[in-house]
Every structure is written in structure tokens, then in C-alpha cells.
Amino acid sequence: MKKSLLAVAVLGAFIGGNAFAAEENTGYIGVKGGWSHVMGHQSRWVDTADRKTSNDFDAGLYAGYNFTNFLGIEAGYDYLGKFANKGYNDSKKLGDYYVHGAEAAIVPSYPITKDSDVFVKLGALFATVKDDAYGKNAFHTSPLVGAGTRIGLGDDFTLRLEYLYAHKFMDSAAKFGYAPNLQNVNLGLEWKFGGAAPAPAPVVAPKAPETVVINETISLDAATLFDFGSSSLSANGKNRIATETQKIRENDLKDVSIRVEGHTDRIGSEAANMKLSKKRAETVVEEFIANGVDQSAISAEGYGESRPVTGTECDNIKNRKKLIECLAPDRRVEVKFSGVKQVIETK
């Protein structure tokens, strides 16, 4: 019987997939209940007495404290069962007797995984036996050993299975006619408290803004801004400059620098084209300033026909009207702006 009960306890210690490991500096209180059995070889009963009832239910309260993940202490008080003998001792007819008492033990444990452990108990049972035949109590201290496992039910509660064995909880067979051993298997429910406070969430230092240098060029078709050969802005041209001013502002740049460059096609004299491109660039600058751009941050330059973008694609066109159409990309105003932008990464 003893071997079978021990096997049950050891098996239970290894089937708890979510077993609860003892946590450093935590206390716990619990209730338990289960099955008790008194046992012993025949010499534990006088010749005229024998066991009649050897099994009963038991229940108890207990509390403990874990000093480390490997070692704790525990104390409790148990009702260990009602049993009965048959026969006689010292001319008294034997019958029912009741066992209860306090227990105290150290509880070494061993983690199996991060969240599981098995434990043993090594201590003493301070037993009280009340015998109906004698109408009095007997007290005795017995060695107590046990083993078990703890199974977590969330953060605060623990289910545990344990096997306990107390050796010879009566001091001698001569006093009441019997001196058996006691063993039981219990299921307990614990509430855990204390322990280290949860680690605070790490404080993430805000990332320093990243400095990004912005360089962009906006190419504006001269036909959108001016009439052919003119340096005066049309109504559409003024609207377009207002739109581009807003786009530049939306970049939220520091140390802004704007350079407006005027370009013409190759039709006409080189000097006239240089003068026209310069005048157109200045007109655009004036409109930017009228829209709120800092005068010190913007400048104008004219390049005339010196920087065409059409290359040679219009070289063989003789018709003037078609040539003017072909060279339209060369007639442009380029707004080149730069500045520094600070970008804060949010991820």
C-alpha cells in the first residue's frame, strides 16, 4: 500500500504541465483534503487487537513561506481521520479513535521548467489521538516526510498534490493497544501573496530628431506663367506661384534657400534671351516675396538659351510655329529650394 501511494504522488509530480514553481519571498495559505490510511506490521497492535477501519477522509489548513525558489517552510493543522480497532486491550473493548494534529516542515523544491517544480517535505507531525475506549487523548511527535507537485491556476492560486507519511504516531502499543504509521494523499488549493513587484516597463528615451537636408527643383512651364515673349505674370501665373509657395511652406524647412532660374528657347538673339530669362526670374522672385517668402532667402538668375532640355530633337524643324511648339520645354522657370528638416521616428 505504501509503495502504491508513493507511486501515485510521484506520478502526479510529473504530469502537471502548468506546474507552479516556488517563487522567492512569497507566502501562501491553503486548504487541503484527501484520503488517510493507518498501517503497520502486526506487532504495532497487541495480540488481542487488530485493525477494523483503516481508511478515512482527512482535511487541513496550512501556510508557508518560500525563502528562495528552492527552499521554504510550512506549518499546518490537520484532521487526519476516524479509524477503528477490534479486539481488547487491558480488558477494554477497542473501537473508534480520532487522529488530528499540527505539522511543521521544511520544503525543498526543484524547478523542472520555468513554471514547474516538485517538492519534498521533511518535518514532524505533532499528533493527538482521542480513543473512545479510554475516553482520553494521547500526544506524540512523529517524523513526517512527503513529496508532491504544485500546479498553477493563474498568478495567485495554486493546485497541489502531495503524499505524506508519519511514522508511528502513537508512542507505543502498550498504552492504547496500537501504534500504527499514517499516510495520506491530499489535494490542496493555495493562495499566494507577496513576492517581488512587477518590473516597471522600460523607459524608452525619445529618439533625437534626425536632420534631413532637402533639395528639390520645381520646373514651371513658361507658358503657364507668361505670355509668349513677355516677362509679366499672367493671372494663371500668379496662382501657380501662390500654390508653389504653399508647397514649400508645407515642407516645414529651416535655413531655407530659394534660387529662381529663368530659361528661354534659342529663338531670337542670345542677348535678348538672356535679358528675358533674367527678367522672368526676377518677376517670379517678386511674386514669391509678395506671398510671404523672406527676401533674404531668395535670389534670381537668368541663363537665356544656354541650358536647353530639348537637345537636338528640334534641329530639323523649319516651320516656325512647329519649332516654337517643339522648343516649349526650354522655355521654363526652375525654382530650386533647399533647407533642413527634422524628422522624428515614431516607431
Side-chain angles (χ1 to χ4, degrees), residues 151-163:
I151 303 171
L153 300 176
D155 293 336
D156 298 324
F157 291 95
T158 304
L159 187 69
R160 83 170 182 181
L161 176 68
E162 70 175 4
Y163 165 81

Side-chain angles (χ1 to χ4, degrees), residues 8 17 34 96 101-103 123 129 159 170 175 215 269 300 303-304 320 335:
V8 170
D96 295 339
E103 62 175 83
V129 179
L159 187 69
M170 289 288 291
K175 189 167 186 178
N215 288 289
S269 70
Y303 290 95
R320 180 178 174 81
V335 179

Side-chain angles (χ1 to χ4, degrees), residues 262-266 270 273-274 302-308 332:
H263 302 272
T264 67
D265 59 25
R266 65 174 183 257
E270 184 177 346
N273 287 336
M274 182 66 71
Y303 290 95
E305 60 188 72
S306 64
R307 296 184 180 181
R332 67 197 188 279

Side-chain angles (χ1 to χ4, degrees), residues 99-166:
V99 184
H100 59 94
E103 62 175 83
I106 61 171
V107 186
S109 60
Y110 181 76
I112 298 175
T113 67
K114 176 184 176 183
D115 299 314
S116 68
D117 73 355
V118 292
F119 66 89
V120 297
K121 293 178 70 172
L122 304 170
L125 173 66
F126 306 96
T128 298
V129 179
K130 180 180 181 300
D131 190 287
D132 285 347
Y134 288 87
K136 62 182 180 179
N137 296 336
F139 305 93
H140 186 61
T141 300
S142 303
L144 180 72
V145 296
T149 187
R150 288 171 278 204
I151 303 171
L153 300 176
D155 293 336
D156 298 324
F157 291 95
T158 304
L159 187 69
R160 83 170 182 181
L161 176 68
E162 70 175 4
Y163 165 81
L164 295 176
Y165 172 79

Side-chain angles (χ1 to χ4, degrees), residues 164-176:
L164 295 176
Y165 172 79
H167 180 72
K168 199 176 180 180
F169 64 84
M170 289 288 291
D171 57 354
S172 69
K175 189 167 186 178
F176 282 171

Side-chain angles (χ1 to χ4, degrees), residues 206-230:
K207 291 188 176 181
E210 180 184 358
T211 299
V212 178
V213 177
I214 302 294
N215 288 289
E216 289 193 20
T217 297
I218 301 171
S219 184
L220 304 176
D221 182 3
T224 303
L225 305 177
F226 309 99
D227 293 331
F228 184 77
S230 172

